[in-house]
Every structure is written in C-alpha cells, then in structure tokens.
Amino acid sequence: MIKSQIISILDNYPVIALAVSGGSDSMAMLEWFRQNRPKNSFFIVNIDHHIRGEESKRDSDFVRDYAKKYDIKFEKYDVDAVVFAREKGYTLEQAARILRHKIFEQVTFEKANVIATAHHASDQAESVLMHIARGTGIGGLKGMSVQDGHIIRPLLQTRKQEIMEFLANNNVSYCTDSTNSDNDYSRNYIRNVVLKSIEQKYPNFEQSLIKLSDRAKEIADFIDINTPPLYMQHGGIYCELEDKHTVICAEMIRRAFSLLGITFDIEQRHINSIINFAKNNTSGSIDMPYNTVVYKENKGIVIAKKTVYPNETYRFSDGFFEIGGFELQVQRVQYQDCLIKNDSQFDLEKALFIAVDKTEELVVRLRNSGDTIQKFGGGSKSLGDFLTDKKVPLRLRDRLPVIANGNDIICVCGVDIARSAKVEKDSKIICKITLASD
C-alpha cells in the first residue's frame, strides 16, 4: 500500500509518531506500520479536538482499544478547538489545524523524529483544487509534499481505493466522522460537491490534478535552483532583478518578504507593482503592506521594514554610540596607526580616520536639514547632494551617523570625511571611526 520510494524514506527515522484519528485513512496507516515495522519504531498520537462531543470520545476510545490490543504505545492529547476558534476569530477548520500542528511540533521535539499523517492522493487532489479556487501560483499547485519539515505523509502516493481495499483485505475496522458530510466545511464541499460533480463528466479529473501537482513540483524545483540566495544587510533584503526572468524576480521578492517575517498576504499584484517599479525607475521608493518599503537600488530593489530612528545628539568622544540602527565606535589613535588611507568608495564596513583640533564643539547625530560638507576638490556641498554623488543608497541616508560642528559635517560615518578633517603628521587629535549594523 505504501510505495517503495516512501518506505525508503521511512527507514531514515528510528522513531515515528503516527497521527491516528480512528478514521479509515489513519487506521490503514497504523495497520500497515503494525504489520511492517518494529513495534518500538512507532507509537500512536491521538488528538481529541472536542468538536463532535461524545463522537470524538468514541473515536479516541476506539484507537486506544486498538493500541491496547496490539500493545502499541498510545498518547492522547485534548484541545478545545471550539473555544480557540471563538477567542481568536478562526473558523473551526483553522483552529483545529493550528492546535493540531502545535501538538505535532511538541511531539517531534520531545519524543519522535517525525510525525506521520494519513493524507493520501485524493487529499492531494482536493488540496490543489482548493488552492486553485482561492487563487494560487506554482506553490499552491504543488500541493502537499511527502516530507514537510517534521511531518511525513506515507500515503500521499496511495489512492483512496487502495486504502479501502487494504482495510477490507485485513479486516480492519474504523470510525466514521459525521462531519465528513457537512458541506459547510471547505474541504468537504470540494470533496463532496465540486469534485464529484466534475468527475461525472471527467472521470479521471482527480488523477489529472495529481499529475498537475507533480509537474508543478518539477517547475518549483527548477525555480528554486535558479533563484539566487538572498541575505539581510543593514535592515533590508537586496534583490538584483536586472536581466532576470519575471518568474525568478517574483520568487526573489516572495523570499525577501519571507526573510522579513512576512509569509502571507503578499499578493501577485504587489509583486507586479514591485517589478514594474524596478523596471521603470532609477531611484525612489514605494510603500508595501505590513509596514514595508521597497527602494530602487543599483540593478534591483531593496525590501525593508519601515523604521523611524530617533535623531538624538551625543557629545563626540571616544567609545561606542548606538544610533540609526548602527553601532558607531570612535577610537583615539596615533598618526602611525593610520595605515589605511581614507577610501572614497562607498563601503559601510571601512574605517575612516579624522583629525580635529578640539572635540568640545563636535556632536554625533543623524543628518539635519541645512547640513553641508567641505569637499576635497574644493568648495562645499549640501549633504544630500554629497550622499547622492557618493551613491549612498536612499534607504541609508537618514540613518547614517554624522560627526558635526553645527551644520558643518566633518565625517559621514562609513562614507567619507570632509576636507577639514584630513589627517596630517602634525594633527593634534586623530580618531578612527568604524560602523557596524546592530
């Protein structure tokens, strides 16, 4: 009943918890494990969601009796999905799933390598159809995977008909969930109404959905292999979109939001607007949901959380300053310690060296309106124009600490220094300025 390629996966796990409700699918899975696996390599996890009253208790008792008959370890968990749904505003389906998966995580953390659920091929077809109905991309067409983190689905390639034949051939009893006929539940409606109606006209429709899922997995694997890795840097995720196919661009954007902790409700229209923005602009930014902002930067975009940093003013001195989301270090050094010349190329990680006659009037702060800086080539320039010339990304300009005397900037930390702060052999006070992300 369980396919050979999945059996080889099961062999990798010394202890497997089996999620058994008492229904036909989970009882078939349990019976197969009883016949084919050592008894110490699996145990039963039963969850009473307290949705069906006495019927739920009946099902749990049924599974407990089976476990006792065959001397199989049995663990029961009780959750109140009805109360949880009411308190959190979930549907009963959503509440039961959330509570169930919390237990799955607990069990696999404390007692088992993985937990096996009894989802089968027909469940896969139903899932794909539900995703299509709700509007989905390749990710939704993939449906479920045999392995998904701490969850494994041994029956995912097994048809419902095979399961029922296995139960009959082995004389295995099972319970029937009365809510399976309640079409107010989304999955039941798909199973009992939509699929049955379509299959009257197209008898092989379920198998076609499963094949579609298999093709979607292949495409998703191809996209995964060809999507560049992304990293968090200075509070944002850079995505280089230039000369990349739209599909790869969309996947990079989805992953960037995921790295920021946003894993839902980023819709295709948001992705399209970001791609169009990147294509048609050389600078600027656009707002996105969940307090995020997208900046045009270099050959792509940066996606970041909106953060307002307080512009506090500190007296300039040796030591550390936390400002603008950076950690700034000021260290007094000697002339012979200045082995590295100030580099005019933008690189936040580089060290800068400044020379001053006295420190009493200097402060550390973020930039203000009216700030100017003396250029090495002569003359002065507004700090905004100076940062533009230095190609400092828009998202960092209001965050970078500066060392200032009034509106005269002598150092933009991580960027460059003013002509007046140039280090000479006879400089009285020389400081090394380094910057790091918090």
Side-chain angles (χ1 to χ4, degrees), residues 316-318 330-333 338 352-356 359 423 429-433:
F316 179 78
S317 64
D318 288 4
V330 178
Q331 183 180 6
R332 191 79 64 94
V333 296
C338 303
L352 295 175
F353 296 91
I354 63 170
V356 296
T359 62
V423 176
I429 300 173
I430 302 174
C431 293
K432 179 182 179 181
I433 311 295

Side-chain angles (χ1 to χ4, degrees), residues 22-67:
S24 58
D25 307 327
S26 62
M27 288 304 298
M29 178 177 70
L30 174 56
E31 177 65 15
W32 184 92
F33 269 78
R34 187 187 73 80
Q35 293 183 17
N36 294 277
R37 313 297 286 187
K39 193 176 295 185
N40 62 356
S41 70
F42 66 94
F43 64 94
I44 297 170
V45 171
N46 175 259
I47 303 173
D48 186 345
H49 297 86
H50 289 273
I51 294 175
R52 296 176 288 125
E54 282 300 314
E55 186 178 289
S56 294
K57 182 179 182 302
R58 177 208 69 186
D59 293 354
S60 292
D61 290 344
F62 173 82
V63 178
R64 186 193 302 272
D65 291 343
Y66 178 99

Side-chain angles (χ1 to χ4, degrees), residues 299-316:
K299 296 182 178 181
I301 48 101
V302 169
I303 303 175
K305 286 285 187 73
K306 288 182 184 177
T307 306
V308 177
Y309 296 96
N311 193 355
E312 299 182 71
T313 300
Y314 302 92
R315 184 176 64 84
F316 179 78

Side-chain angles (χ1 to χ4, degrees), residues 52 121 174 176 214 253 268 300 407 431:
R52 296 176 288 125
Y174 56 89
T176 300
D214 292 339
I253 292 168
Q268 189 63 42
N407 282 120
C431 293

Side-chain angles (χ1 to χ4, degrees), residues 333-339 353 423-427 430:
V333 296
Q334 300 299 316
Y335 180 76
Q336 58 268 27
D337 296 323
C338 303
L339 301 178
F353 296 91
V423 176
E424 305 285 1
K425 284 186 178 181
D426 58 351
S427 296
I430 302 174

Side-chain angles (χ1 to χ4, degrees), residues 14-287:
V15 181
I16 300 176
L18 306 182
V20 182
S21 66
S24 58
D25 307 327
S26 62
M27 288 304 298
M29 178 177 70
L30 174 56
E31 177 65 15
W32 184 92
F33 269 78
R34 187 187 73 80
Q35 293 183 17
N36 294 277
R37 313 297 286 187
K39 193 176 295 185
N40 62 356
S41 70
F42 66 94
F43 64 94
I44 297 170
V45 171
N46 175 259
I47 303 173
D48 186 345
H49 297 86
H50 289 273
I51 294 175
R52 296 176 288 125
E54 282 300 314
E55 186 178 289
S56 294
K57 182 179 182 302
R58 177 208 69 186
D59 293 354
S60 292
D61 290 344
F62 173 82
V63 178
R64 186 193 302 272
D65 291 343
Y66 178 99
K68 184 176 181 180
K69 177 180 178 181
Y70 293 106
D71 191 27
I72 300 171
K73 182 181 177 183
F74 172 89
E75 295 193 1
K76 182 185 176 185
Y77 295 82
D78 288 274
V79 296
D80 197 329
V82 177
V83 171
F84 184 70
R86 184 168 60 247
E87 290 177 346
K88 301 297 183 179
Y90 295 124
T91 66
L92 264 181
E93 287 176 287
Q94 292 170 330
R97 186 180 188 279
I98 292 169
L99 293 172
R100 183 165 60 249
H101 279 265
K102 285 183 178 179
I103 292 172
F104 289 174
E105 291 177 5
Q106 176 186 340
V107 168
T108 51
F109 180 75
E110 297 175 352
K111 303 175 182 179
N113 302 108
V114 289
I115 188 161
T117 64
H119 294 101
H120 49 78
S122 296
D123 291 325
Q124 179 78 300
E126 293 165 9
S127 294
V128 171
L129 190 55
M130 286 180 69
H131 294 159
I132 292 172
R134 292 169 178 165
T136 189
I138 292 295
L141 294 180
K142 289 194 307 180
M144 296 175 283
S145 301
V146 172
Q147 289 181 285
D148 188 6
H150 58 278
I151 295 174
I152 191 166
R153 302 179 177 93
L155 300 179
L156 198 59
Q157 297 176 3
T158 305
R159 301 290 299 275
K160 180 70 172 182
Q161 182 180 347
E162 294 178 72
I163 291 173
M164 300 310 294
E165 290 173 355
F166 177 84
L167 292 170
N169 292 338
N170 290 275
N171 196 28
V172 178
S173 300
Y174 56 89
C175 300
T176 300
D177 184 340
S178 62
T179 63
N180 286 343
S181 59
D182 185 350
N183 292 332
D184 287 338
Y185 291 100
S186 299
R187 183 171 288 275
N188 289 348
Y189 181 78
I190 290 291
R191 176 188 303 136
N192 300 331
V193 179
V194 178
L195 266 174
K196 283 188 176 179
S197 177
I198 295 175
E199 287 176 339
Q200 289 178 1
K201 180 71 174 179
Y202 304 101
N204 295 322
F205 185 68
E206 179 182 296
Q207 190 59 31
S208 297
L209 287 174
I210 294 171
K211 289 180 179 178
L212 175 63
S213 172
D214 292 339
R215 298 294 80 76
K217 287 186 178 73
E218 293 173 357
I219 295 170
D221 288 344
F222 177 84
I223 294 172
D224 184 58
I225 291 170
N226 288 278
T227 300
L230 304 177
Y231 307 96
M232 175 80 75
Q233 186 177 40
H234 308 310
I237 313 295
Y238 177 67
C239 304
E240 186 173 317
L241 306 183
E242 190 172 285
D243 298 326
K244 291 184 174 61
H245 193 281
T246 302
V247 171
I248 300 299
C249 292
E251 182 63 18
M252 293 175 72
I253 292 168
R254 290 189 192 95
R255 293 186 185 186
F257 278 107
S258 180
L259 285 171
L260 292 173
I262 302 166
T263 57
F264 52 89
D265 289 350
I266 297 300
E267 301 173 7
Q268 189 63 42
R269 62 187 177 89
H270 298 133
I271 293 171
N272 291 342
S273 66
I274 293 171
I275 293 173
N276 289 333
F277 165 73
K279 181 179 179 181
N280 298 317
N281 294 272
T282 57
S283 63
S285 65
I286 55 171
D287 291 339

